[in-house]
Amino acid sequence: MTVKIDTVMQTRCFGGTQGVYRHDSAATRCGMRFAVYLPPQARQSRVPVLYWLSGLTCTEENFIIKSGAQRKAAEWGIAIITPDTSPRGLNLPGENESYDFGAGAGFYLDATQAPWSGHYNMYTYITDELFSLAAAHFPIDSSRAGIFGHSMGGHGALTIAVKNPGQYHSVSAFAPICSAMRCPWGIKALGGYLGQHQEAWKEYDAATLIESRGWKNSPILIDQGTEDTYLHTQLQPQFLQEVCARAGVELELRMQDGYDHSYYFIASFMDDHLKFHAKYLMSK
């Protein structure tokens, strides 16, 4: 049975349509919102699709307002789907006490610890539920899908792509958390959602996954600002550099002089990332 979705808003944008939608999620057991940009080419045929995963505190709204991605997506004929970063409105104990855990901080994993395990299943939501829902309701070609994201969402994009190479054919990130097991944000999230047995954490650590599983579908493109406040404490791209070198994974890590962690940084290099994904998705 096809899941019902409700239209929150739709507006014309660069000849295509920017929409926001809502549905009742089986994975998170609550209502979820997501955004879809459909380029003008989607009126004639199914188009390749990119999934954007946002960072801490964000919703689906940040990307569609601030990234400037729609212009080039319209030019290249690529749809962009942007989910929320966590379930919302559940009123779980501690859900709204801090910016880096709970609401707005789902970390794109499937929680195993109560009370989070009943709802905080963003990995399954992204890779299974939303992936199927999007293919059923929109003119996208799910056989030509890529994934990218920022910060916590960069961590999500990398871990999800590496674990699902048959589903995502290209991956990139802006200032990703490169090893969640080795940074304060990740240690807090992984411990809270998965418990203190660190073997389980390896399934959601980008550097560990790349070293153990590799990645051959495309190079990995990463942009990182040199003036990013979180560069050395939370993001730590050196871990990714080291494991990619050992695993024979092609990594293009671009250190962008003077840029910080904001959407001004993301917007500055968004066109490059869309061009990168178009190269691999259009050739499928």
Side-chain angles (χ1 to χ4, degrees):
M1 184 176 67
T2 302
V3 175
K4 179 180 181 291
I5 67 169
D6 298 314
T7 301
V8 177
M9 77 90 167
Q10 285 182 335
T11 188
R12 198 79 163 150
C13 185
F14 291 103
T17 303
Q18 179 64 67
V20 176
Y21 307 90
R22 184 201 174 278
H23 71 107
D24 292 326
S25 167
T28 65
R29 300 181 191 174
C30 69
M32 295 292 293
R33 286 165 58 119
F34 64 96
V36 179
Y37 178 69
L38 290 176
Q41 294 87 339
R43 291 196 295 271
Q44 280 77 47
S45 62
R46 291 184 174 270
V47 295
V49 59
L50 273 173
Y51 287 82
W52 169 267
L53 305 185
S54 296
L56 289 167
T57 75
C58 290
T59 68
E60 79 290 337
E61 187 176 64
N62 300 74
F63 178 83
I64 65 175
I65 291 176
K66 297 179 179 180
S67 72
Q70 295 94 338
R71 179 174 61 87
K72 282 296 183 182
E75 181 179 323
W76 281 311
I78 298 174
I80 304 179
I81 297 178
T82 310
D84 201 349
T85 51
S86 77
R88 302 276 174 178
L90 296 167
N91 297 317
L92 300 176
E95 185 180 35
N96 298 299
E97 290 181 359
S98 61
Y99 79 95
D100 56 356
F101 189 82
F107 266 81
Y108 305 102
L109 52 73
D110 283 350
T112 59
Q113 301 298 299
W116 315 102
S117 57
H119 304 278
Y120 276 63
N121 298 307
M122 291 299 292
Y123 176 81
T124 292
Y125 177 72
I126 300 295
T127 62
D128 185 3
E129 187 172 15
L130 183 61
F131 200 85
S132 299
L133 187 73
H137 285 273
F138 301 95
I140 63 170
D141 181 356
S142 291
S143 69
R144 294 187 290 165
I147 192 165
F148 64 153
H150 172 232
S151 195
M152 176 185 72
H155 139 83
L158 291 168
T159 57
I160 285 172
V162 169
K163 291 165 75 170
N164 299 276
Q167 193 164 333
Y168 305 96
H169 302 288
S170 56
V171 62
S172 72
F174 294 82
I177 297 171
C178 291
S179 182
M181 297 177 65
R182 298 177 177 90
C183 75
W185 282 339
I187 291 168
K188 180 177 180 177
L190 298 177
Y193 294 132
L194 303 177
Q196 295 306 312
H197 185 50
Q198 294 193 11
E199 195 65 26
W201 296 10
K202 294 179 180 179
E203 283 297 300
Y204 300 102
D205 183 274
T208 300
L209 284 168
I210 289 172
E211 185 155 39
S212 63
R213 302 192 186 200
W215 171 259
K216 299 297 183 184
N217 288 0
S218 72
I220 297 173
L221 172 63
I222 290 177
D223 277 308
Q224 172 64 63
T226 62
E227 298 304 310
D228 191 321
T229 306
Y230 308 111
L231 173 58
H232 302 294
T233 56
Q234 304 283 9
L235 309 176
Q236 304 174 96
Q238 70 273 12
F239 290 122
L240 204 61
Q241 281 185 301
E242 292 166 5
V243 300
C244 284
R246 288 197 295 268
V249 172
E250 185 178 349
L251 170 67
E252 183 178 2
L253 173 61
R254 309 192 309 184
M255 300 301 296
Q256 302 293 359
D257 188 44
Y259 285 89
D260 59 17
H261 200 67
S262 71
Y263 261 87
Y264 297 110
F265 158 62
I266 294 170
S268 297
F269 301 101
M270 178 56 63
D271 287 2
D272 290 352
H273 283 248
L274 293 177
K275 183 178 180 180
F276 165 81
H277 286 281
K279 175 182 177 180
Y280 295 97
L281 300 184
M282 295 301 187
S283 64
K284 294 298 292 180

